[in-house]
Amino acid sequence: MSSEGFVTGETKNSEHALRWNGETESPSVTVTTDIDEGNGREFTSTDRWILAPTPRLTVAWMPSGDDEWKYRHPLENDYPDATIKFADRGVLGSAFTYIGAYKEHTHHADGQRFRMIVVDGASPSDSPGKVFKSLTSASKRLPGESPDKVLAFVLPDPSWRGGYASPSHDEIWVHEDAHLSDPQNLWLHEYVHTRQSFKLGDRMAWFREASAAYFASNLTMEQGRTSKSDVAQMLTRNGFDESVLSKSNTWASNEVPYYRGAYALWALDAKIRKATDGDRSLFDVFERMNAHKGPISYADFRAIVANVAEQSMNSWLNEHVTTSATPKLQDITSGLGGYSESGDVRSSNDGKASNRDRNYGISNSDRFSTMTGDLSSTLILSCGLGLIGLMFGLTLAQYISRLIERVWKR
């Protein structure tokens, strides 16, 4: 990070901060961010385009005669009197920043605005229209409140051939090879993450990716894009015999939740449907988990399942979540029995709105500056990011100047 018109300091939380020197009328800040942060698959840099994490920058100021700090996050949130401009072309998201040429497609449905950014050189396997139709259909089926806006990027090679989601900001990306007809359906998998509003305890960490994988295949079948045989084949592709869902240190790989976890959830869904004569399903469990206050422990999960199924399933859950035991294949196929071979659904939940391999998700907790100063009017910038890597042409001079002008006028 470099700046003009600021004095270097830090917040009470030991975060890097810049304090306006009180004299420079048009101060400026240049922020750098590291595209290699995370697990190395989330972001990509090429000679033609870049997808990088959006820097977490906080602007804090104290107007004259006021003893209360005011805060803004100019790169993460929209403000009516602030604009961000790129030197060339780009898209600024709250989680992802893209620089380079692109094609944009938008769609409004079900109270949401879907925005698709097709990166330079990318050729989506399915047309934007088909993707929007699939996402809209899934949105109507998933429990919980839908996001107002969803920002999606389509990336070509050399990006990793998977997907990634930032649930707290409702932003996702998928590789151009993602197919809506794939039983794993990356488009729906990543979208499901935007509807997961629950927090999970350590023994439930597997459920986030397992449920996204389960609902992606379930909804893909409902939309008639895949068959139960294809889903069953996908679920049994990897055994992970010694892996225990509730103990991540036993996982043979990070793929365990996607296959073994989803496999267990299909079997659990079948048990719930059978116990309730088809009146309830894992959709109802998902809904109640979203409504749960605080992190969901394994005990909470068992209680929610028992409440939905109207009977205890603790013994079965203990066997298949806390040990390496695998549900029988017939338990899975019966769970897929509500669908015809072509994928047509005959579920009791039709029409019911009952909210990373992939390590998807970014921690986007806001970072506030709590510094105080001796000046009657004070402006502070604090930034929580690695200061190594690609330099952005995101100059905040005009934004900061307007803030300073507003402070002095007060």
Side-chain angles (χ1 to χ4, degrees):
M1 175 183 290
S2 61
S3 66
E4 181 179 351
F6 288 91
V7 178
T8 301
E10 64 179 30
T11 69
K12 289 183 178 180
N13 297 326
S14 298
E15 292 180 333
H16 186 73
L18 297 174
R19 183 193 299 273
W20 176 46
N21 62 17
E23 299 175 356
T24 306
E25 293 185 2
S26 298
S28 65
V29 176
T30 300
V31 180
T32 62
T33 189
D34 186 1
I35 63 169
D36 292 324
E37 74 172 41
N39 65 18
R41 292 176 169 179
E42 295 96 325
F43 311 104
T44 307
S45 174
T46 74
D47 293 337
R48 301 195 318 273
W49 58 269
I50 299 162
L51 185 78
T54 297
R56 294 186 292 273
L57 185 70
T58 299
V59 177
W61 73 98
M62 182 182 292
S64 300
D66 198 345
D67 60 356
E68 183 176 340
W69 287 94
K70 299 184 182 298
Y71 301 92
R72 282 194 175 184
H73 310 282
L75 300 183
E76 294 183 68
N77 301 323
D78 295 327
Y79 299 98
D81 57 349
T83 58
I84 301 293
K85 295 182 179 180
F86 287 86
D88 191 4
R89 295 192 67 192
V91 176
L92 178 68
S94 296
F96 304 114
T97 296
Y98 172 76
I99 298 176
Y102 63 91
K103 294 180 180 179
E104 181 172 349
H105 306 271
T106 58
H107 180 71
H108 294 81
D110 197 33
Q112 297 174 88
R113 176 178 181 262
F114 294 97
R115 184 185 181 197
M116 181 189 296
I117 304 299
V118 180
V119 169
D120 183 32
S123 298
S125 297
D126 292 287
S127 69
K130 289 183 178 179
V131 172
F132 290 143
K133 182 179 180 180
S134 179
L135 293 175
T136 300
S137 176
S139 175
K140 293 177 179 178
R141 286 284 288 115
L142 285 169
E145 183 177 356
S146 60
D148 294 330
K149 296 183 293 183
V150 176
L151 175 61
F153 297 86
V154 181
L155 308 184
D157 290 338
S159 63
W160 174 67
R161 296 197 172 197
Y164 188 80
S166 174
S168 59
H169 287 118
D170 302 323
E171 296 179 12
I172 67 175
W173 69 256
V174 300
H175 190 272
E176 63 180 348
D177 285 346
H179 289 271
L180 291 173
S181 59
D182 190 323
Q184 293 177 298
N185 199 332
L186 280 174
W187 277 109
L188 295 189
H189 182 111
E190 303 305 339
Y191 178 71
V192 170
H193 281 308
T194 72
R195 303 292 286 269
Q196 294 173 326
S197 61
F198 46 72
K199 296 180 180 179
L200 299 171
D202 292 341
R203 299 178 73 193
M204 287 298 297
W206 61 275
F207 187 85
R208 189 170 304 280
E209 297 301 343
S211 60
Y214 161 80
F215 285 114
S217 57
N218 184 305
L219 295 169
T220 301
M221 287 179 63
E222 285 196 8
Q223 294 176 15
R225 301 180 186 276
T226 192
S227 67
K228 64 181 181 182
S229 59
D230 287 338
V231 173
Q233 183 179 13
M234 180 270 295
L235 290 173
T236 56
R237 183 179 305 161
N238 297 302
F240 304 119
D241 293 339
E242 302 304 317
S243 299
V244 178
L245 291 178
S246 64
K247 301 176 182 179
S248 58
N249 62 338
T250 69
W251 295 355
S253 77
N254 289 333
E255 291 187 343
V256 168
Y258 302 89
Y259 295 94
R260 177 68 168 277
Y263 186 94
L265 290 183
W266 270 107
L268 176 60
D269 178 72
K271 289 184 66 66
I272 294 173
R273 290 175 188 266
K274 182 178 180 180
T276 62
D277 293 327
D279 289 337
R280 294 180 180 176
S281 69
L282 198 68
F283 282 78
D284 298 280
V285 173
F286 188 76
E287 180 176 34
R288 299 189 191 195
M289 291 179 69
N290 272 339
H292 184 84
K293 303 299 182 183
I296 298 174
S297 66
Y298 176 57
D300 293 327
F301 177 63
R302 293 192 311 180
I304 291 172
V305 170
N307 185 270
V308 168
E310 298 181 340
Q311 62 179 258
S312 174
M313 294 191 173
N314 290 356
S315 178
W316 189 92
L317 287 171
N318 289 342
E319 180 181 5
H320 297 100
V321 175
T322 67
T323 79
S324 60
T326 303
K328 298 178 181 178
L329 183 59
Q330 55 263 38
D331 293 336
I332 301 298
T333 54
S334 66
L336 300 174
Y339 305 87
S340 67
E341 180 60 32
S342 66
D344 296 332
V345 65
R346 298 194 301 273
S347 168
S348 63
N349 284 327
D350 284 349
K352 177 182 178 183
S354 18
N355 193 46
R356 317 189 311 185
D357 295 36
R358 295 173 173 111
N359 291 333
Y360 308 104
I362 299 176
S363 175
N364 290 299
S365 56
D366 292 330
R367 303 188 177 192
F368 296 101
S369 169
T370 56
M371 293 179 65
T372 58
D374 299 325
L375 299 176
S376 58
S377 298
T378 305
L379 176 68
I380 294 175
L381 292 174
S382 67
C383 188
L385 58 130
L387 300 180
I388 305 173
L390 181 70
M391 184 172 293
F392 281 84
L394 302 177
T395 302
L396 306 178
Q398 291 183 339
Y399 180 86
I400 296 171
S401 297
R402 284 198 295 271
L403 278 179
I404 293 174
E405 181 180 357
R406 187 182 304 124
V407 167
W408 280 118
K409 285 183 179 179
R410 295 190 181 189

